[in-house]
């Protein structure tokens, strides 16, 4: 369940989620894992948590999407910190399936679900076909974010921006294009960056090449996160330690944390 440091691509990295997903197919398992994530996060002095997960990946043993969402929300609500959920659609699923997912997620708006996201293999599956799902989520009152910029070309980040999102999960490869960086800055889009995962996906070849420090200095709003504590084998504390190793100052780290609070969906 832990991706090695030498993953050749994002697609290879994603494969390491399979074993974890396999044991997250029942209501008790989903409740417990959601709750334990809250407990582990609180132990790091985290007081607000946004949990992104893809409900349609938990239907193998007969659960419905509604039941999956309800189980996760119960687990989060029982935790020792404020925790909310962002429902994730998968790029490999059909646009129709993801519209249905967005509408179901919308039924939980105001009840613990705060946002809608798209994730998956960016090199093989474009984001644009899923515009109707984003429109359905927005109509239901959910905030919008999208995974982009860990594989493929910089243009994939702009494709995600065109969906009307407020935040981009990662956006690392988009940092190679000055036009895209300028647009992100002008529009006030927030990049949720995860150095360890970005490196394991080979969005950067070496951690020392991660664009987080210079993006912050260029006026781009950035947050620091984990992507997945298990698959990336990290913690938020470790990600901040890496940011220090990248040369970021205490003031710059503070600004990332302030950005995270200001941009939160809950």
């Amino acid at each position: 369940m832990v991706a090695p440091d030498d993953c050749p691509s994002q697609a290879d990295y994603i494969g390491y989620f399979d074993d974890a997903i396999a044991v997250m197919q029942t209501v008790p398992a989903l409740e417990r894992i959601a709750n334990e994530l809250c407990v582990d996060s609180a132990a790091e002095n985290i007081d607000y948590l946004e949990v992104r997960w893809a409900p349609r990946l938990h239907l193998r043993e007969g659960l419905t999407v509604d039941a999956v969402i309800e189980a996760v929300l119960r687990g989060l609500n029982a935790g020792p910190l404020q925790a909310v959920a962002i429902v994730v659609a998968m790029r490999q699923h059909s646009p129709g399936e993801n519209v249905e997912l967005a509408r179901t997620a919308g039924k939980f708006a105001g009840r613990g679900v705060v946002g809608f996201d798209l994730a998956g293999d960016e090199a093989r599956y474009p984001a644009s076909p899923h515009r109707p799902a984003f429109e359905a989520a927005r109509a239901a009152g959910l905030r919008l974010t999208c995974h982009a910029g860990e594989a493929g070309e910089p243009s994939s980040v702009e494709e995600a921006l065109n969906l009307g999102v407020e935040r981009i999960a990662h956006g690392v490869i988009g940092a190679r294009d000055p036009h895209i960086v300028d647009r992100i800055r002008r529009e006030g889009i927030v990049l949720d960056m995860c150095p360890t995962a970005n490196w394991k996906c080979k969005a950067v070849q070496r951690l020392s090449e991660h664009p987080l420090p210079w993006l912050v200095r260029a006026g781009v709003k950035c947050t620091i996160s984990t992507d997945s504590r298990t698959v990336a084998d990290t913690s938020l504390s470790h990600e901040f330690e890496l940011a220090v190793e990248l040369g970021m100052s205490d003031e710059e780290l503070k600004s990332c944390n302030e950005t995270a609070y200001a941009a939160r969906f809950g």
Side-chain angles (χ1 to χ4, degrees):
M1 289 189 285
V2 174
D5 295 348
D6 60 352
C7 283
S9 67
Q10 184 204 38
D12 185 77
Y13 175 83
I14 291 171
Y16 286 91
F17 284 86
D18 290 347
D19 288 342
I21 292 170
V23 299
M24 298 167 67
Q25 300 295 327
T26 66
V27 165
L30 288 164
E31 285 189 29
R32 177 178 174 178
I33 290 166
N35 183 255
E36 289 181 352
L37 175 58
C38 292
V39 171
D40 291 345
S41 298
E44 287 192 78
N45 290 324
I46 295 169
D47 60 8
Y48 172 79
L49 186 67
E50 292 181 346
V51 178
R52 306 184 192 218
W53 97 108
R56 288 187 55 80
L57 298 181
H58 305 280
L59 309 181
R60 299 176 189 173
E61 295 185 16
L63 291 179
T64 64
V65 170
D66 290 77
V68 171
I69 295 175
E70 289 167 352
V72 170
L73 292 180
R74 281 195 297 272
L76 299 182
N77 289 336
L81 77 174
Q82 181 187 0
V84 295
I86 297 175
V87 166
V88 179
M90 299 303 296
R91 289 172 179 256
Q92 70 267 25
H93 294 162
S94 73
E97 288 172 326
N98 285 337
V99 168
E100 182 181 352
L101 174 65
R103 290 173 177 162
T104 301
K107 295 190 299 185
F108 294 89
R111 298 166 50 198
V113 175
V114 296
F116 185 78
D117 189 8
L118 180 71
D121 187 342
E122 297 170 24
R124 292 181 60 195
Y125 301 100
S128 294
H130 302 286
R131 177 183 295 278
F134 280 84
E135 292 172 347
R138 183 188 294 108
L142 298 178
R143 311 277 290 275
L144 304 181
T145 181
C146 185
H147 280 68
E150 278 199 311
E153 299 299 320
S155 58
S156 69
V157 175
E158 193 151 38
E159 181 185 29
L161 292 173
N162 291 338
L163 296 172
V165 299
E166 301 173 51
R167 287 159 46 187
I168 295 284
H170 311 307
V172 178
I173 291 174
R176 301 173 188 171
D177 186 325
H179 164 75
I180 293 173
V181 173
D182 184 61
R183 180 178 173 186
I184 290 170
R185 180 175 49 236
R186 283 187 291 105
E187 296 184 8
I189 303 299
V190 174
L191 300 183
D192 296 322
M193 310 201 91
C194 311
T196 297
N198 300 156
W199 166 55
K200 286 193 172 186
C201 285
K202 295 303 173 283
V204 291
Q205 294 302 309
R206 290 179 290 274
L207 271 169
S208 60
E209 299 172 353
H210 200 282
L212 173 62
W214 72 259
L215 285 170
V216 170
R217 292 162 194 163
V220 174
K221 296 178 180 180
C222 296
T223 73
I224 300 172
S225 191
T226 60
D227 188 67
S228 165
R229 295 170 63 97
T230 300
V231 176
D233 191 22
T234 191
S235 65
L236 189 59
S237 299
H238 182 60
E239 295 303 297
F240 271 83
E241 290 167 359
L242 289 176
V244 172
E245 293 176 13
L246 290 170
M248 296 185 71
S249 68
D250 288 348
E251 198 60 34
E252 288 169 337
L253 297 178
K254 180 182 177 183
S255 75
C256 289
N257 212 30
E258 290 172 343
T259 294
Y261 273 96
R264 67 190 186 276
F265 285 173

